[in-house]
Amino acid sequence: QVQLVESGGGVVQPGRSLRLSCAASGFTFSDYPMHWVRQAPGKGLEWVAVISFDENTRFYADSVKGRLTISRDNPKNTLYLQMDSLTSDDTAIYYCARALSGSFGPDAFDIWGQGTMVTVSS
Amino acid sequence: EIVLTQSPGTLSLSPGEGATLSCRASQSVSSDYLAWYQQNPGQPPRLLIFGATSRATGIPDRFSGRGSGTDFTLTINRLEPEDFVVYYCQQYGSSPVTFGQGTKVEIK
């Protein structure tokens, strides 16, 4: 079945780095733009970043620009989020999500992973 | 960016009743690109409605969406026990996509 499985979360000190992964299965990963969306504990949803199907184009939320980097490895069916210079504001569950329309740009999200928790704390 | 305001924050209803959730945008949502999600505790969001009115695959027809421009509603007919969770609206007509703060539907 269509599935996204995130990994790589954990507890990290402020200023340190972390890399999240999202393994896709059950669909042609290379056909879809992919997104990261996060949710701070007890809070709402915040879009983080998007990458085109061919990795040529990426957009970021202003709150993470310059610190978080989205990438993908299509032969491995895997999406990544490199997180540098982390702050307590980055503490959240990070979800990878598939673009509904298959087109690059703003989109709804039809498939979500279960999420991976990132806690930034000293 | 477009700010989405959901109301009410909490809706207290009984099973079998109907629910109407509101989502108001700070500016017109292009092409009515408005989605609704349901989120159970500890679970990721689930897409219910896209394009303001289209139900996603597998979503029961007791869920319906309507609206255009800046005002949108999600209606849930005949609430089932599993419907008492949190709902979010999202606009994807312009970048960045944004979400409302959520409406919790609780058992009265």
Side-chain angles (χ1 to χ4, degrees):
Chain A
Q1 74 277 25
V2 177
Q3 194 173 8
L4 298 170
V5 179
E6 302 93 337
S7 60
V11 180
V12 60
Q13 293 179 328
R16 304 299 290 263
S17 298
L18 204 61
R19 188 175 85 152
L20 307 182
S21 299
C22 168
S25 59
F27 66 100
T28 306
F29 179 69
S30 58
D31 282 350
Y32 288 85
M34 294 294 296
H35 298 252
W36 287 98
V37 178
R38 68 184 181 182
Q39 186 170 33
K43 302 296 185 182
L45 299 160
E46 179 188 19
W47 173 79
V48 172
V50 59
I51 187 168
S52 60
F53 69 96
D54 59 5
E55 201 173 9
N56 283 344
T57 311
R58 312 164 201 210
F59 289 146
Y60 299 92
D62 286 345
S63 58
V64 306
K65 205 171 292 183
R67 301 186 302 111
L68 274 58
T69 303
I70 189 171
S71 63
R72 65 192 297 162
D73 186 332
N74 284 341
K76 292 185 177 179
N77 292 328
T78 304
L79 177 73
Y80 301 102
L81 186 66
Q82 176 66 39
M83 310 173 71
D84 298 321
S85 303
L86 286 163
T87 75
S88 57
D89 288 342
D90 297 313
T91 294
I93 298 172
Y94 285 75
Y95 297 103
C96 58
R98 189 179 79 170
L100 170 67
S101 72
S103 300
F104 182 75
D107 209 335
F109 310 121
D110 63 339
I111 305 296
W112 296 66
Q114 287 295 311
T116 187
M117 182 70 203
V118 173
T119 302
V120 183
S121 173
S122 54
Chain B
E1 71 179 46
I2 295 178
V3 176
L4 299 178
T5 302
Q6 292 186 239
S7 61
T10 301
L11 196 52
S12 298
L13 295 165
S14 300
E17 290 189 299
T20 300
L21 286 65
S22 174
C23 177
R24 178 162 291 177
S26 60
Q27 54 191 282
S28 185
V29 176
S30 175
S31 302
D32 294 337
Y33 283 155
L34 194 286
W36 290 92
Y37 298 86
Q38 178 191 65
Q39 188 175 33
N40 286 276
Q43 295 296 313
R46 177 174 72 145
L47 179 66
L48 297 175
I49 301 288
F50 63 94
T53 61
S54 299
R55 272 189 300 276
T57 302
I59 302 304
D61 60 8
R62 67 176 184 275
F63 292 91
S64 63
R66 61 182 299 170
S68 65
T70 61
D71 289 294
F72 299 88
T73 58
L74 173 70
T75 300
I76 312 171
N77 292 320
R78 304 178 307 278
L79 284 162
E80 300 281 346
E82 62 267 26
D83 299 335
F84 291 88
V85 291
V86 179
Y87 296 83
Y88 293 97
C89 59
Q90 176 219 355
Q91 69 80 23
Y92 55 104
S94 62
S95 188
V97 303
T98 50
F99 294 87
Q101 82 281 16
T103 290
K104 180 180 180 180
V105 179
E106 67 175 20
I107 296 178
K108 187 174 181 180

